[in-house]
Amino acid sequence: MEVLQPRAAMLSNYEVLNLLREQADEQKQYLAINPTMHFPENLATVQFEVTGYLEKGPCSTQTPEQIEAFLTALDHWKLTKAEKLQILNLRTKSMVELHLIIEECEERFTEEQLEELLQIVQQTLSRDDDMEMVEQNRRVDGELEEEPMEE
């Protein structure tokens, strides 16, 4: 494979995962046709490790429709491509994550706007395990609250 235009576009984790799955399928087809064919061992290792990592992340449950809805919802937001990509890849769930992703976040957006952005992420990139995660966070938050001091 030869890189024709370096940095021509940034890929989301969803796109990388799909590409790796397609490559794995193609490699299996080649091996079915020619069992003596060998692929570089390092390549197989990298493909396996990256696929395993990405399958544990948010991109494993995303769909093209969700991604399109997410990007459409962010049309009027003044975010860079890299910021949108990071929010998509990480499926941001908290204000802290937004502040880490968005450069000069406090100067560019109000607290209410950031809350709205989190709502957009939650609505457009929803997952089946969202309710489990919310419940888990509530339990953790409840355990971390300060207990009343005894007198």
Side-chain angles (χ1 to χ4, degrees), residues 133-145:
M133 293 297 288
V134 168
E135 193 61 38
Q136 203 173 39
N137 288 340
R138 283 187 185 149
R139 274 188 255 127
V140 169
D141 289 344
E143 292 173 6
L144 295 178
E145 288 180 6

Side-chain angles (χ1 to χ4, degrees), residues 92-102 105-106 109-118:
T92 308
K93 293 182 181 179
S94 71
M95 285 289 205
V96 173
E97 289 174 309
L98 286 178
H99 283 273
L100 292 171
I101 293 169
I102 300 172
C105 190
E106 292 94 10
F109 302 105
T110 66
E111 196 81 14
E112 292 79 24
Q113 289 173 318
L114 294 176
E115 288 288 342
E116 182 184 342
L117 183 55
L118 287 174

Side-chain angles (χ1 to χ4, degrees), residues 54-68:
L54 292 176
E55 284 177 342
K56 293 176 187 171
C59 68
S60 64
T61 60
Q62 291 173 347
T63 65
E65 294 80 18
Q66 285 181 324
I67 294 170
E68 187 177 336

